[in-house]
Structure formats: structure tokens, C-alpha cells
Amino acid sequence: MSANASSTRARQLLASAPVIPVITIDRAADAVPLARALVKGGLRVIEVTLRTDAAMEAASAIIAGVPDAVVGLGTVLTADDLARAQKIGAAFAISPGWSDGLLKAASAGDFAFVPGIQTASDLIACVTAGFDVVKFFPAVPGGGLAALNALSGPFPSVTYCPTGGIGEANAAEWLAHPKVCSVGGSWIAPASAIATGDWAGIEARARAASRLR
Ligand code: 3PG
């Protein structure tokens, strides 16, 4: 099964991003200073989750105001979300899961899309549709590295971006796995740091994360 254009593009993009900060923005005004801090700390590829009312405005503000950032939309749940990501000029879209509608819409073009998986059946659906770069979510609650090792056996072509429960203490361990291209997580820019505008702290955590691989 060969990879489709969307997944090939996702693979290229994630190859340059061992650590992807997953950010959830409540106030669109925080978006640009937050993204600047991440880029300054060495993390250019950023996932903005579609979990708040401000998310689209925040992602658009980063795309317009921080040209060095490579912005993707996360928590993409529907083909509609995927279309919105493309419309605002995001570089990629990433989902905690998959559906027939999402895989069909993404495989129709070359916009980078990373579906989420948890089980062998999820992997069969994604690989059959041509997606061989997937998000392993939630990574730690879903069985951790032992689960990833077990899933790697029957699906040798698949590369993973684990997220969920990854932080400073265990990111290096995940990144050392040969099938892991990138890890993602909210530990670099947690809600508390965004709420208080602690851009220096976010930059420092980004710098530490950028040195993990
Ligand atoms: C995601 O959407 O990737 C996760 O919510 C990130 O998980 P974390 O908050 O445990 O890092």
C-alpha cells in the first residue's frame, strides 16, 4: 500500500519537527506573542487545537503575523474542519482520530493530514486509505511505548506522532523509538502559562524541547 499525496506531504513536514507544541488558545490576542515565543525557542511547527471559539482567529493571526511559524490545525474532527484549515492557509491538519469522511476528503488532495489511531483496526483503515503517518493518541493512557511497539509489528510502513501524556520527563524516550517521527504535547505551552502571558517560560521550555533530538 503506497502513501497518498496528503500523507507524503505530512511525512515531509513532520520530518522537520521532532517536537510539536499543541496549543489551546482562549484569547486570540495571545496567539502571536505565544507563537513568537515558540519560534524563538526553536519550535516552528505548531498545532493550534480547534477546541475554543478563538481557535480559528488565533491560527489565522499566527499565519499572518509570524511568518516563520508553520501552523497546523489540531482537533480536526470533520471534513469541514479540514476545509477550514486549508482555507485559512494552514500547513497541515491533525486529528485525534479518523472517519471515512475525513480520510476521503484528505486523500482527494495533497494537503497534509495526519489521522489519529489507537488500535490495529484504526491502522488498517488509515493505511488502506494511504495514510502511513499517524497520530498515536492518547499515547500514554493508550498503552505507552509498549503499545506502540506492539502496533509497529504488523504495520512496518507506519510512522507515529504520539501525543497525550507526553512531557519533559518522557519525550526523549518516545523520540528514541525508530517509528516515532515527532512527539506533540501541551507541556511546552500549558494553559496556565498562556493565561498569565508567561512567554519567557514558554520560550525556555520550547528551547529545551528543541534540543531533545
Ligand atoms: C493533543 O491533542 O494532542 C493532546 O491533547 C495533547 O495532550 P497533552 O495535553 O497530554 O500533552
Side-chain angles (χ1 to χ4, degrees), residues 90-121:
F92 66 100
I94 185 160
S95 178
W98 66 275
S99 69
D100 285 331
L102 261 175
L103 297 185
K104 197 168 163 216
S107 56
D110 63 358
F111 180 68
F113 175 63
V114 180
I117 67 95
Q118 181 72 176
T119 66
S121 298

Side-chain angles (χ1 to χ4, degrees), residues 1-12 102-115 125-133:
M1 200 79 51
S2 59
N4 63 33
S6 169
S7 202
T8 300
R9 182 76 199 102
R11 184 179 287 273
Q12 290 162 350
L102 261 175
L103 297 185
K104 197 168 163 216
S107 56
D110 63 358
F111 180 68
F113 175 63
V114 180
C126 291
V127 170
T128 304
F131 293 89
D132 65 5
V133 179

Side-chain angles (χ1 to χ4, degrees), residues 22 47 49 51 75 135 137 163-166 184-187:
V22 175
E47 174 187 335
T49 66
R51 292 183 199 171
T75 322
K135 170 166 168 152
F137 177 82
T163 80
I166 295 179
S186 61
W187 87 91

